[in-house]
Amino acid sequence: MDQLLFWLVPVASVLALCFALYFHREMMKESEGTPQMVKIAAAVRKGAMSYLKQQYKIVGWVFVGLVILFSVMAYGFGVQNPWVPIAFLTGGFFSGLSGFLGMKTATYASARTANAARHSLNAGLRIAFRSGAVMGLVVVGLGLLDISFWYLLLNAVIPVDVMTPTHKLCIITTTMLTFGMGASTQALFARVGGGIYTKAADVGADLVGKVEAGIPEDDPRNPATIADNVGDNVGDVAGMGADLYESYCGSILATAALGAAAFIHSGDTLMQFKAVIAPMLIAAVGILLSIIGIFSVRTKEDAKMKDLLNSLAFGTNLSSVLIVIATFLILWLLKLDNWMWISCSVVVGLVVGIIIGRSTEYYTSQSYRPTQKLSESGQTGPATVIISGIGLGMLSTAIPVIAVVIGIIASYLFASGFDFSNVGLGLYGIGIAAVGMLSTLGITLATDAYGPIADNAGGNAEMSGLGEEVRKRTDALDSLGNTTAATGKGFAIGSAALTGLALLASYIEEIRIGLTRLGVAEIHSGGEAISVQDATFFDFMHHYDVTLMNPKVLSGMFIGSMMAFLFCGLTMNAVGRAAAHMVDEVRRQFREIKGILTGETEPDYERCVAISTKGAQREMVVPSLIAIIAPILTGLIFGVPGVLGLLIGGLSSGFVLAIFMANAGGAWDNAKKYVEEGNFGGKGSETHKATVVGDTVGDPFKDTSGPSLNILIKLMSMVAIVMAGLTVAWSLF
Amino acid sequence: MDQLLFWLVPVASVLALCFALYFHREMMKESEGTPQMVKIAAAVRKGAMSYLKQQYKIVGWVFVGLVILFSVMAYGFGVQNPWVPIAFLTGGFFSGLSGFLGMKTATYASARTANAARHSLNAGLRIAFRSGAVMGLVVVGLGLLDISFWYLLLNAVIPVDVMTPTHKLCIITTTMLTFGMGASTQALFARVGGGIYTKAADVGADLVGKVEAGIPEDDPRNPATIADNVGDNVGDVAGMGADLYESYCGSILATAALGAAAFIHSGDTLMQFKAVIAPMLIAAVGILLSIIGIFSVRTKEDAKMKDLLNSLAFGTNLSSVLIVIATFLILWLLKLDNWMWISCSVVVGLVVGIIIGRSTEYYTSQSYRPTQKLSESGQTGPATVIISGIGLGMLSTAIPVIAVVIGIIASYLFASGFDFSNVGLGLYGIGIAAVGMLSTLGITLATDAYGPIADNAGGNAEMSGLGEEVRKRTDALDSLGNTTAATGKGFAIGSAALTGLALLASYIEEIRIGLTRLGVAEIHSGGEAISVQDATFFDFMHHYDVTLMNPKVLSGMFIGSMMAFLFCGLTMNAVGRAAAHMVDEVRRQFREIKGILTGETEPDYERCVAISTKGAQREMVVPSLIAIIAPILTGLIFGVPGVLGLLIGGLSSGFVLAIFMANAGGAWDNAKKYVEEGNFGGKGSETHKATVVGDTVGDPFKDTSGPSLNILIKLMSMVAIVMAGLTVAWSLF
């Protein structure tokens, strides 16, 4: 029965891919509109694809380097699992593929959405949302497919006779984690590179176009406008897809590894197997419910803005409610020990995700006081807008942190049978809460990817000179996307924190395996020698003295906190530099190419696209490499306690910093929109100019540095896990 | 011999106070200049004093509340040391007194400095610097006086017969720590209140005066100009004084407590006594060397800017070099175990302080590339200035963090005899490094307090219509102050981090005492029962499971990181709100009082002073109370592991955040000055306007939120220490 249940996982993943293909085909049947619309869409598509090609080339070299390193470690020195190099590669490949497919669909969908919006709002919504759903389903489908594939493969090839079945599952699950590192590495480059690209183009386009030349957004006279639209695709679609692919797989794999570890002592191989497949099953059921949710999104033909929002909310809420019921059902079917309370941990994760999303909405939507007051502060100029926005962003960290803390404690207590000393099951509870949060990713990601598609549709409509009415409809779709994005961000950031915690525990498991591989049989805890195989989390903490009074732990924590800031600083500066190049180019075109501003000559869009591409490529390498090198170096210098300090310092500071940056950026964006809606003087007033400064500052906050931190948190953990063997070997050496 | 050596401590403290009095008298003999100068100085003095009176009133109520709470805990429930309420009061009193005396001197000195500058640069420097020295010497003098007084008193009144002498010193030193909490509480209100006051006035004056009305800084036509000058005194003098008084005492007391704890097992009471008085002796010698350094600051009559800088640098460098030699000497005289290596720990602290100061200078001075590039980014408008400044500030956290990490490890290893497991002595080493960093506070604080005096002198010269030449001299003095302030900030922030770490260890000592008071005889570590008296730091860590896998520790860390951001957000918003009131008032005066801008009518300065005072009073309460309540609540909910997590999370995030904010703010300030020096278009250009926005945003960064974080870090630890008895009692209950 249980073995049979497992097959739900590959089935659900294939189903997700089939529906993705179906939605893609349906969308492709629609018309792309006028020749001008087709031309613009093609230009954006070409720019996006050429960027992605460049990015994959650079990332390819990084992968080659890392695979060589892993191979030397695995086959040369034997401090690494022999499957690691291959698993690492597939993780990177599938993560990249998710981004690629999602982006390809998005670039085909934008003109079609704009064209459909010529007929009705509802038609536009349908195309944009279902194209977003392609991305959502591809991510979850490929993720679970990769997981099933490796699970079945490793199960078949790892011989049972060299170890007990109990330990076999531990080896399998921790090996699978390394494909998570492949996904993380790909995701980091996608997020950082895409984030720099999109904001360099955006800031460049705004500074010269809007501020200096005084032409509106997406105006075809602005040379950077195609690059700006390309940026939405490479940053918000491909980057976001790779990011969430990684969170999704990371949380499932970390939880599976924790499940294997939690039952290592009991010798109950059946229960261990159940604990391993439980997160996969929840994810599989989540896929099915996401598909149902996606189909439930429809509106009346004469839908108003509010109806649109309600229909999207209906879809996600339906999936959320159904997953709660389905979780209890599936864990009961599985007859997992303590299934009822573990199901409650899943619910905790879902609820925390929703709370963070709501809190984000409260702090960043112009429907609420905080953002309205931010607009008001624009009356005293740009300086007060910046001060108030930073203040707002910092205050907005309180609710999400408290929600996560309550979530940690509650999911831990539920899963551990209300016993704080039952660390193994408690941590499993935290992991499964992360899985719960991401279980309906298929549909939440659809609402997220929908945003940039609607945004691009608006750009296309504007540049193709479609009527006022059409532009108004695409604006409504765009604005809806901004609201749903808030919830999506909450899930991305909350899941990063919980997944990061679950990965910490996996790190300890990896240390156990590393010690075993090196022939170390015993560790010391409280003066006693304990066999490595039987040692608990506590024993490892005591053996390595991972307490808060160990200067190595403290040093690691300081470095971890610093890493979060350093990484943000590097990406902020990267956007600044890349944007400056764009500004120079746009100014040059206005100066040298006559007739651009009168609309007689077409600007040289391609050069701007090339500049953004080059800038992003150049700038993404240093921050990404630092994220990979820091945990390795810390491990070599400070050993296991230093690495754990680094990870937790990075996690706690990075999480808070990420929320601060995302919310400050979001609030600045909407504060500007609130003024544009006619408040405090409206468009063109001094207050408006002040809020435009806030919006420009907020761009790298919310779309480059903030989201990249999510991945930094997870990637550092992943690197630590994969390098655990080296750390252990080095400290023994 | 050793007992004799101790008397050096009170003698040095009295000597410091005598020299402070001497410098004060010398300064008072000088002329205050023209009647207009006298009038302006009197107005500033009156405003400053009336602010301080208001502040002490509110702080008084908070102290009454806390003393009642402590009394109930001590005399009612017996979960608190009976000396705590009184010690707490004296700490608050002396901290306030330091600020008061320093500020009184500063407000008398500014007009005299301006007047002396009419004759020569050198005369101006002499008065301003020696008046700053009054503050430096009052702080260290009162600090050591309070320490000697309590040491002698407790030594006399605590009966030997109830406990072994070994434990007696532990009781004495941990009791004395509670006067540190009094100082912290006072300091927090002084920093937060003063910081809000000064920046509300500054931002208000700049936004309406400079930006809207187009009149220069310190122009008498600006109604907020007196309030602005008052702000420099209450924020940068009184606030800084209370802050560093607290750091100074905190580091000495925490190290003394660690010294008492480190020798608790050996039963060697003599060595324990030596370890306790060693930090006091280093501080005492530091006072004597500071006085020598202060006297060594002289320049030639025709001194240039560079000579001035050199002469100040000569004084501080002389003191630093001498203290290194003196430390080896005094610890050798004391015959402290391992004296040579412990002296090396002192040197480590000094070096770390200097590195942080140099790094601050590099990132914030317009003589170096980072700030110059920041000015350059002004060419593309205010948004890029903000983006680049935030990027710069974040990058600038790397060097200080790495310096502190190396400092932690080196001082720990030196003092522990290169044995990581010798936690007691290792932590003592970290504490003594903090003492080393602050040992020459007498002179470093003098160079710091000198800054606002020179600034006010400039203001006075401008408002009194003194000639161009005089204004140029006061500008030179002011600019020198900005440079020396960088080093001062390095010491303030670095010492906060190291003191924070030392206080963590004191917290464990306080837990030990709390358990003893409650009659708990044994704790459990690694399955064994160990007597509370003999338990090591490790044992406490194991008993309470303060490891990184405990969800309570993790929760505490998340909350700690969040506290740093929340606190900053609250203070940023407070400045924003208070500044908005000031803007409204200044606009009202320009509108309603005719003839202000033509210079015919005098504006209503006093109303602006009153508005700033009121704003600061109202706004300082919430952030300050949150800082006090958070550790208490965390202790009640999550117990000892949660509190330690909170403290370390707050320490690591807060330290990095504080450096980021201070450096970003400093760089914005100087980027504006660099443009004003004629680069990128000079004064009045668009680039200049963009950098003015940066400067305004940087004001609360560098003068309100950033410095307040230093105190937040220490205050949370102090509160945790004082409340340790309650936490323990509650968790047993």
Side-chain angles (χ1 to χ4, degrees):
Chain A
M1 170 69 185
D2 307 312
Q3 297 290 347
L4 261 182
L5 266 179
F6 170 78
W7 286 98
L8 194 60
V9 181
V11 167
S13 73
V14 171
L15 212 61
L17 294 175
C18 291
F19 273 97
L21 188 66
Y22 164 72
F23 289 135
H24 180 77
R25 289 227 170 127
E26 286 292 300
M27 179 271 291
M28 290 301 279
K29 282 184 199 156
E30 303 286 332
S31 155
E32 262 195 307
T34 67
Q36 172 72 359
M37 290 169 75
V38 175
K39 189 183 140 199
I40 289 165
V44 171
R45 190 157 52 239
K46 193 180 143 206
M49 285 301 159
S50 87
Y51 170 77
L52 225 53
K53 222 168 104 184
Q54 282 295 326
Q55 175 171 297
Y56 288 156
K57 218 181 263 172
I58 294 185
V59 176
W61 283 113
V62 174
F63 268 76
V64 167
L66 286 172
V67 166
I68 291 174
L69 175 68
F70 294 149
S71 302
V72 170
M73 282 167 63
Y75 312 131
F77 295 100
V79 294
Q80 187 60 280
N81 185 315
W83 290 99
V84 161
I86 309 160
F88 175 74
L89 271 182
T90 65
F93 176 76
F94 279 113
S95 169
L97 188 62
S98 303
F100 173 79
L101 292 177
M103 203 186 78
K104 205 167 171 95
T105 306
T107 53
Y108 279 111
S110 58
R112 291 178 168 84
T113 302
N115 191 49
R118 290 166 78 186
H119 308 298
S120 79
L121 190 58
N122 192 25
L125 172 73
R126 197 186 151 96
I127 292 186
F129 178 69
R130 293 211 168 172
S131 306
V134 172
M135 164 83 143
L137 292 174
V138 162
V139 164
V140 296
L142 287 182
L144 272 197
L145 193 67
D146 205 3
I147 290 173
S148 330
F149 165 76
W150 276 101
Y151 179 77
L152 291 171
L153 177 75
L154 292 174
N155 213 10
V157 296
I158 292 186
V160 185
D161 55 352
V162 298
M163 51 193 86
T164 62
T166 329
H167 293 153
K168 181 175 166 175
L169 267 176
C170 283
I171 301 277
I172 291 177
T173 50
T174 47
T175 304
M176 286 167 72
L177 268 175
T178 58
F179 103 65
M181 177 180 165
S184 283
T185 310
Q186 178 73 258
L188 188 74
F189 280 94
R191 261 293 194 204
V192 174
I196 294 172
Y197 186 110
T198 178
K199 290 307 132 182
D202 194 357
V203 171
D206 284 359
L207 282 179
V208 191
K210 275 203 232 172
V211 180
E212 295 181 11
I215 52 180
E217 177 135 5
D218 287 328
D219 192 291
R221 289 170 293 174
N222 193 333
T225 193
I226 293 278
D228 189 4
N229 279 291
V230 170
D232 290 338
N233 285 301
V234 302
D236 298 347
V237 181
M240 164 87 85
D243 179 359
L244 284 167
Y245 175 87
E246 194 270 309
S247 264
Y248 188 71
C249 294
S251 65
I252 296 171
L253 295 173
T255 310
L258 287 171
F263 288 92
I264 202 168
H265 305 300
S266 67
D268 184 347
T269 47
L270 182 64
M271 204 47 75
Q272 193 189 29
F273 166 75
K274 289 177 177 180
V276 168
I277 68 164
M280 305 179 194
L281 284 177
I282 294 171
V285 174
I287 287 186
L288 305 180
L289 301 178
S290 293
I291 295 174
I292 294 177
I294 290 166
F295 273 102
S296 79
V297 173
R298 327 168 160 264
T299 39
K300 302 169 285 182
E301 264 314 306
D302 56 344
K304 294 267 170 309
M305 177 71 193
K306 213 174 165 180
D307 299 321
L308 289 182
L309 196 57
N310 283 342
S311 61
L312 274 197
F314 178 76
T316 46
N317 290 344
L318 180 70
S319 301
S320 299
V321 171
L322 290 180
I323 192 77
V324 169
I325 300 165
T327 299
F328 280 90
L329 197 72
I330 198 97
L331 295 190
W332 170 72
L333 266 179
L334 192 63
K335 295 189 189 60
L336 185 66
D337 259 4
N338 193 23
W339 63 270
M340 217 173 73
W341 286 109
I342 290 182
S343 303
C344 289
S345 293
V346 176
V347 177
V348 165
L350 261 174
V351 171
V352 170
I354 291 169
I355 291 176
I356 299 180
R358 284 282 160 278
S359 146
T360 307
E361 203 185 320
Y362 173 72
Y363 278 105
T364 62
S365 157
Q366 65 264 48
S367 312
Y368 298 97
R369 286 295 294 150
T371 299
Q372 292 172 359
K373 288 191 91 168
L374 183 56
S375 304
E376 195 183 331
S377 74
Q379 294 179 308
T380 39
T384 37
V385 170
I386 302 295
I387 293 177
S388 307
I390 288 175
L392 178 153
M394 286 176 158
L395 289 190
S396 76
T397 61
I399 293 175
V401 168
I402 292 169
V404 163
V405 164
I406 294 176
I408 290 171
I409 298 288
S411 57
Y412 185 100
L413 284 178
F414 289 159
S416 66
F418 297 90
D419 173 7
F420 264 118
S421 66
N422 195 346
V423 188
L425 272 174
L427 292 172
Y428 181 69
I430 295 179
I432 212 140
V435 173
M437 196 184 277
L438 290 174
S439 56
T440 53
L441 187 68
I443 184 162
T444 47
L445 191 52
T447 61
D448 233 4
Y450 152 89
I453 295 174
D455 190 336
N456 259 263
N460 196 309
E462 177 78 28
M463 291 202 282
S464 308
L466 300 187
E468 183 67 22
E469 182 62 19
V470 179
R471 178 73 213 190
K472 228 169 148 183
R473 285 196 192 125
T474 56
D475 272 356
L477 291 175
D478 187 10
S479 161
L480 175 65
N482 285 338
T483 310
T484 55
T487 319
K489 264 181 195 147
F491 280 86
I493 214 160
S495 68
L498 293 186
T499 306
L501 286 176
L503 287 173
L504 286 178
S506 304
Y507 176 69
I508 301 294
E509 283 309 307
E510 200 67 49
I511 293 290
R512 185 201 305 274
I513 291 168
L515 287 172
T516 311
R517 192 172 294 119
L518 290 162
V520 177
E522 286 181 341
I523 61 170
H524 297 271
S525 167
E528 282 174 66
I530 294 166
S531 110
V532 167
Q533 294 306 323
D534 295 334
T536 63
F537 283 113
F538 274 127
D539 296 327
F540 279 101
M541 293 292 113
H542 292 181
H543 174 71
Y544 286 110
D545 187 30
V546 191
T547 67
L548 291 188
M549 284 288 132
N550 183 342
K552 294 179 190 169
V553 173
L554 296 172
S555 298
M557 288 186 52
F558 273 107
I559 298 173
S561 292
M562 180 267 277
M563 276 297 296
F565 279 83
L566 179 65
F567 183 79
C568 271
L570 287 170
T571 46
M572 291 287 287
N573 278 348
V575 170
R577 273 190 300 267
H581 286 138
M582 184 62 85
V583 166
D584 288 343
E585 171 62 18
V586 175
R587 281 183 181 163
R588 186 195 66 79
Q589 291 202 19
F590 279 147
R591 201 175 51 234
E592 294 180 7
I593 308 178
K594 299 288 167 223
I596 288 188
L597 276 175
T598 52
E600 288 157 30
T601 327
E602 199 171 66
D604 186 353
Y605 299 124
E606 280 188 25
R607 244 188 106 103
C608 289
V609 170
I611 282 176
S612 247
T613 303
K614 224 172 162 180
Q617 300 307 323
R618 197 179 37 234
E619 299 286 358
M620 77 178 178
V621 176
V622 173
S624 304
L625 285 185
I626 283 183
I628 295 174
I629 291 168
I632 303 179
L633 261 189
T634 308
L636 296 180
I637 299 173
F638 294 115
V640 174
V643 171
L644 279 166
L646 172 80
L647 298 183
I648 293 197
L651 177 58
S652 59
S653 295
F655 175 60
V656 184
L657 188 58
I659 297 172
F660 156 58
M661 298 198 87
N663 286 356
W668 275 318
D669 188 352
N670 286 327
K672 183 199 67 177
K673 292 207 174 119
Y674 188 63
V675 173
E676 285 173 354
E677 285 164 12
N679 300 291
F680 307 114
K683 239 175 173 166
S685 64
E686 283 301 313
T687 309
H688 183 234
K689 276 185 199 154
T691 53
V692 167
V693 172
D695 180 38
T696 311
V697 171
D699 274 340
F701 267 62
K702 71 180 200 303
D703 292 324
T704 312
S705 302
S708 302
L709 276 174
N710 292 350
I711 308 182
L712 177 78
I713 291 170
K714 291 173 286 178
L715 179 61
M716 290 208 301
S717 304
M718 286 287 184
V719 173
I721 288 171
V722 175
M723 290 296 174
L726 180 67
T727 307
V728 171
W730 179 262
S731 62
L732 290 175
F733 173 78
Chain B
M1 173 65 186
D2 307 313
Q3 297 289 345
L4 262 180
L5 267 178
F6 171 77
W7 287 97
L8 195 59
V9 181
V11 168
S13 73
V14 171
L15 212 60
L17 294 175
C18 291
F19 273 97
L21 188 65
Y22 165 73
F23 289 136
H24 180 77
R25 289 226 172 129
E26 287 291 299
M27 179 271 289
M28 290 301 280
K29 283 184 198 153
E30 305 285 333
S31 155
E32 264 196 306
T34 67
Q36 172 72 0
M37 291 170 76
V38 175
K39 189 183 139 198
I40 289 165
V44 171
R45 190 158 51 240
K46 193 179 141 205
M49 286 302 159
S50 86
Y51 169 76
L52 226 53
K53 223 170 102 186
Q54 282 294 327
Q55 175 170 297
Y56 289 155
K57 218 180 267 174
I58 294 185
V59 177
W61 283 112
V62 175
F63 268 75
V64 167
L66 286 171
V67 166
I68 292 175
L69 175 68
F70 295 149
S71 303
V72 170
M73 283 167 64
Y75 313 130
F77 294 102
V79 294
Q80 185 62 280
N81 185 314
W83 290 98
V84 160
I86 308 160
F88 175 74
L89 271 181
T90 67
F93 176 76
F94 278 114
S95 169
L97 188 62
S98 303
F100 174 79
L101 292 176
M103 202 186 79
K104 205 166 171 98
T105 307
T107 53
Y108 279 112
S110 60
R112 291 176 167 87
T113 302
N115 192 48
R118 290 165 78 186
H119 309 299
S120 80
L121 190 58
N122 191 26
L125 172 72
R126 198 186 151 93
I127 292 187
F129 178 69
R130 293 209 169 173
S131 306
V134 172
M135 164 83 145
L137 292 173
V138 162
V139 164
V140 296
L142 287 182
L144 272 197
L145 193 67
D146 205 4
I147 290 174
S148 331
F149 165 76
W150 275 101
Y151 180 77
L152 292 170
L153 176 76
L154 292 174
N155 213 9
V157 296
I158 292 187
V160 184
D161 54 351
V162 297
M163 49 194 87
T164 63
T166 330
H167 293 155
K168 182 175 164 173
L169 267 176
C170 283
I171 300 278
I172 291 178
T173 50
T174 46
T175 305
M176 286 167 71
L177 268 176
T178 57
F179 103 64
M181 178 181 166
S184 282
T185 309
Q186 178 71 259
L188 187 73
F189 280 93
R191 260 296 192 203
V192 174
I196 294 171
Y197 186 111
T198 178
K199 291 306 131 182
D202 194 355
V203 170
D206 285 1
L207 281 179
V208 190
K210 276 203 230 170
V211 180
E212 294 182 10
I215 53 180
E217 178 135 6
D218 288 328
D219 192 291
R221 289 170 292 174
N222 192 334
T225 195
I226 293 276
D228 190 4
N229 280 289
V230 170
D232 290 339
N233 286 299
V234 302
D236 300 345
V237 181
M240 164 87 83
D243 179 358
L244 283 167
Y245 176 88
E246 194 269 310
S247 264
Y248 189 72
C249 295
S251 66
I252 297 170
L253 295 173
T255 311
L258 287 172
F263 289 93
I264 202 168
H265 306 298
S266 65
D268 184 346
T269 47
L270 183 63
M271 203 49 74
Q272 193 189 30
F273 166 75
K274 289 177 177 179
V276 167
I277 68 164
M280 303 179 194
L281 284 176
I282 295 171
V285 174
I287 287 185
L288 304 178
L289 300 177
S290 293
I291 295 173
I292 294 177
I294 291 166
F295 273 102
S296 79
V297 173
R298 327 168 161 265
T299 40
K300 302 169 287 182
E301 265 314 306
D302 56 343
K304 294 270 170 308
M305 178 69 195
K306 211 175 166 179
D307 300 319
L308 289 183
L309 196 57
N310 282 341
S311 61
L312 274 198
F314 178 76
T316 46
N317 290 343
L318 180 71
S319 301
S320 298
V321 170
L322 290 179
I323 192 78
V324 169
I325 301 166
T327 297
F328 280 91
L329 197 73
I330 198 95
L331 295 189
W332 171 73
L333 268 178
L334 191 62
K335 294 187 189 62
L336 184 66
D337 258 6
N338 192 24
W339 62 269
M340 216 173 75
W341 286 110
I342 288 181
S343 303
C344 290
S345 294
V346 176
V347 177
V348 165
L350 261 174
V351 172
V352 170
I354 291 169
I355 291 175
I356 299 180
R358 285 280 159 282
S359 147
T360 307
E361 203 183 319
Y362 172 72
Y363 279 104
T364 61
S365 157
Q366 64 265 50
S367 314
Y368 299 97
R369 286 294 294 150
T371 300
Q372 292 172 0
K373 288 191 91 168
L374 183 57
S375 303
E376 196 183 328
S377 74
Q379 294 179 307
T380 38
T384 38
V385 170
I386 302 294
I387 292 177
S388 307
I390 288 175
L392 179 154
M394 286 178 160
L395 289 190
S396 76
T397 60
I399 293 174
V401 168
I402 292 169
V404 162
V405 165
I406 294 175
I408 290 172
I409 297 288
S411 57
Y412 184 100
L413 284 178
F414 289 159
S416 65
F418 298 90
D419 173 8
F420 264 116
S421 65
N422 195 345
V423 188
L425 273 174
L427 293 172
Y428 181 68
I430 295 178
I432 211 141
V435 173
M437 195 185 278
L438 291 175
S439 58
T440 54
L441 186 68
I443 185 161
T444 47
L445 191 52
T447 61
D448 234 4
Y450 152 89
I453 294 174
D455 190 335
N456 260 262
N460 196 311
E462 177 80 27
M463 289 203 282
S464 308
L466 300 187
E468 184 67 22
E469 182 63 18
V470 180
R471 179 71 215 194
K472 226 168 148 183
R473 286 196 192 124
T474 55
D475 272 356
L477 291 174
D478 187 10
S479 161
L480 175 65
N482 285 338
T483 311
T484 56
T487 320
K489 266 185 192 142
F491 280 86
I493 214 161
S495 68
L498 293 185
T499 306
L501 286 176
L503 288 173
L504 286 178
S506 304
Y507 175 69
I508 301 295
E509 283 310 307
E510 200 67 50
I511 293 290
R512 187 201 304 276
I513 291 169
L515 287 172
T516 312
R517 191 171 297 117
L518 290 163
V520 177
E522 288 180 338
I523 60 170
H524 297 270
S525 167
E528 282 174 67
I530 294 166
S531 107
V532 167
Q533 294 306 321
D534 295 335
T536 63
F537 282 113
F538 274 127
D539 296 327
F540 278 101
M541 293 292 112
H542 292 182
H543 174 70
Y544 286 110
D545 186 30
V546 191
T547 67
L548 291 188
M549 283 289 133
N550 183 340
K552 293 179 190 170
V553 173
L554 296 172
S555 298
M557 290 188 52
F558 274 105
I559 297 173
S561 292
M562 179 267 277
M563 275 298 294
F565 280 82
L566 179 66
F567 184 78
C568 270
L570 287 170
T571 48
M572 292 287 287
N573 278 349
V575 170
R577 272 192 300 266
H581 285 137
M582 184 62 87
V583 166
D584 287 342
E585 171 62 18
V586 175
R587 281 183 181 163
R588 186 195 65 80
Q589 291 202 19
F590 278 147
R591 200 174 52 233
E592 294 181 6
I593 309 178
K594 300 286 167 222
I596 288 188
L597 277 175
T598 52
E600 288 158 30
T601 328
E602 201 173 63
D604 186 354
Y605 298 124
E606 280 187 28
R607 245 189 104 102
C608 289
V609 171
I611 281 175
S612 247
T613 304
K614 224 170 160 181
Q617 300 307 325
R618 197 181 37 234
E619 299 286 358
M620 77 179 178
V621 176
V622 173
S624 305
L625 286 185
I626 282 183
I628 296 174
I629 292 169
I632 303 179
L633 260 189
T634 308
L636 295 180
I637 298 174
F638 295 115
V640 174
V643 172
L644 279 166
L646 172 81
L647 298 183
I648 294 198
L651 178 56
S652 59
S653 296
F655 176 60
V656 183
L657 188 58
I659 297 172
F660 155 58
M661 299 198 86
N663 287 356
W668 276 319
D669 187 353
N670 286 326
K672 182 199 68 176
K673 291 205 172 119
Y674 188 63
V675 173
E676 285 174 354
E677 285 165 12
N679 300 291
F680 307 114
K683 240 175 172 165
S685 64
E686 281 302 312
T687 310
H688 183 234
K689 276 187 200 155
T691 54
V692 167
V693 172
D695 179 38
T696 311
V697 172
D699 274 340
F701 267 62
K702 72 180 199 304
D703 292 323
T704 311
S705 302
S708 303
L709 275 174
N710 292 349
I711 308 182
L712 177 77
I713 291 170
K714 293 173 286 176
L715 180 61
M716 290 208 301
S717 304
M718 287 286 185
V719 173
I721 288 171
V722 175
M723 290 295 173
L726 179 66
T727 306
V728 171
W730 178 264
S731 62
L732 290 175
F733 174 77

